[in-house]
Amino acid sequence: MTEKEKMIAGKPYFASDRELQKSRLEAQRSCHRYNQIDPKNYKERKALIRGLFAMTDTLFCVEQPFYCDYGFNITIGNNFFSNYHLTILDCAPVTIGENVMFGPNVAIYTAGHPIHAETRNTGLEYALPVTIGNNVWIGGNTVINPNVSIGENTVIGSGSVVTKDIPSNVIAVGNPCKVLREITEEDKKYYFKNFTV
Ligand SMILES: CC(=O)SCCNC(=O)CCNC(=O)[C@H](O)C(C)(C)COP(=O)(O)OP(=O)(O)OC[C@H]1O[C@@H](n2cnc3c(N)ncnc32)[C@H](O)[C@@H]1OP(=O)(O)O
């Protein structure tokens, strides 16, 4: 197996590998180009993201600046919106559903390093997938760690650090991110606390 194949399969690998270094540099250059495009030039912005990501749908908006490691591991569903400063370390697949919204400064980290310094200093690293269901809203400054799934319709509060799976249809907040409560039919009536729609 090549280091790239190991990385994508969730096996330990060496990121210093030539092929991976080359892919990261290509993605960094694409992100650099993306972040320099006139924000009004939607056509060029869209085309660049389409070329960078594994899969996109019809409607999406990735605000600038945006950063990723490879791009080829990122899939977004239709009607995706991410606010300023999204960072995706997509060493493993990152799969995002439909109608998903990210606040500013969201960071998705699929990558990690061994805990013990001796093992870590060998250069070995790992990457595990992140999956986000349909209709999820992630608040600003949230960090999502490797090997996490977030269920559909869920809201993650701003500033959360998501270290474990979060179920569907809940509000979850905090560091570490924990379920605050379920989202119910009653919530339909309000747009913020007790402010009615
Ligand atoms: C796509 C975009 O660009 S979005 C723009 C960026 N906007 C954001 O990121 C805003 C994200 N919004 C939030 O984080 C909100 O606080 C929400 C959606 C989680 C609020 O959910 P609500 O159900 O209304 O929670 P509510 O405000 O009633 O708070 C309930 C409890 O959770 C706590 N809480 C609410 N949000 C958070 C949070 N992000 N982190 C930690 N605790 C929180 C409250 O302090 C409160 O605690 P208490 O019971 O001890 O008093």
Side-chain angles (χ1 to χ4, degrees):
M1 266 179 134
T2 65
E3 296 305 306
K4 181 178 176 181
E5 285 165 347
K6 288 183 206 166
M7 176 181 87
I8 294 171
K11 299 196 182 309
Y13 67 97
F14 291 99
S16 54
D17 170 71
R18 273 267 176 91
E19 184 189 13
L20 290 178
Q21 278 192 26
K22 192 167 166 262
S23 297
R24 280 199 302 278
L25 186 61
E26 277 169 21
Q28 281 166 358
R29 295 185 75 196
S30 294
C31 290
H32 179 73
R33 275 200 305 279
Y34 184 72
N35 297 334
Q36 310 302 314
I37 300 171
D38 179 344
K40 203 179 166 197
N41 193 344
Y42 297 110
K43 212 172 155 196
E44 199 182 336
R45 285 173 62 182
K46 213 157 191 183
L48 200 145
I49 293 290
R50 278 198 203 287
L52 184 61
F53 287 7
M55 216 191 293
T56 60
D57 212 310
T58 321
L59 288 175
F60 61 88
C61 174
V62 176
E63 292 292 9
Q64 299 152 302
F66 164 75
Y67 304 95
C68 69
D69 269 343
Y70 298 99
F72 56 65
N73 273 325
I74 303 172
T75 297
I76 55 172
N78 202 27
N79 205 24
F80 172 71
F81 174 79
S82 67
N83 217 320
Y84 314 115
H85 263 285
L86 169 63
T87 300
I88 306 184
L89 305 186
D90 62 317
C91 309
V94 172
T95 311
I96 298 170
E98 294 183 359
N99 307 310
V100 170
M101 282 195 295
F102 289 175
N105 304 307
V106 166
I108 299 177
Y109 305 147
T110 64
H113 305 276
I115 296 298
H116 197 287
E118 268 179 37
T119 318
R120 189 166 62 246
N121 291 346
T122 63
L124 206 61
E125 68 172 68
Y126 63 88
L128 295 162
V130 166
T131 305
I132 298 171
N134 295 335
N135 314 312
V136 166
W137 172 31
I138 312 265
N141 282 300
T142 291
V143 174
I144 302 173
N145 274 357
N147 208 24
V148 159
S149 288
I150 298 174
E152 60 183 16
N153 309 320
T154 279
V155 174
I156 306 291
S158 51
S160 297
V161 179
V162 189
T163 59
K164 291 183 182 156
D165 288 357
I166 303 291
S168 300
N169 306 307
V170 298
I171 301 179
V173 299
N175 177 8
C177 189
K178 297 251 162 75
V179 174
L180 185 64
R181 66 171 177 88
E182 267 194 52
I183 297 168
T184 67
E185 283 295 299
E186 182 70 9
D187 286 299
K188 267 191 193 164
K189 294 188 206 157
Y190 309 98
Y191 63 91
F192 177 72
K193 300 191 190 293
N194 58 352
F195 296 15
T196 46
V197 176

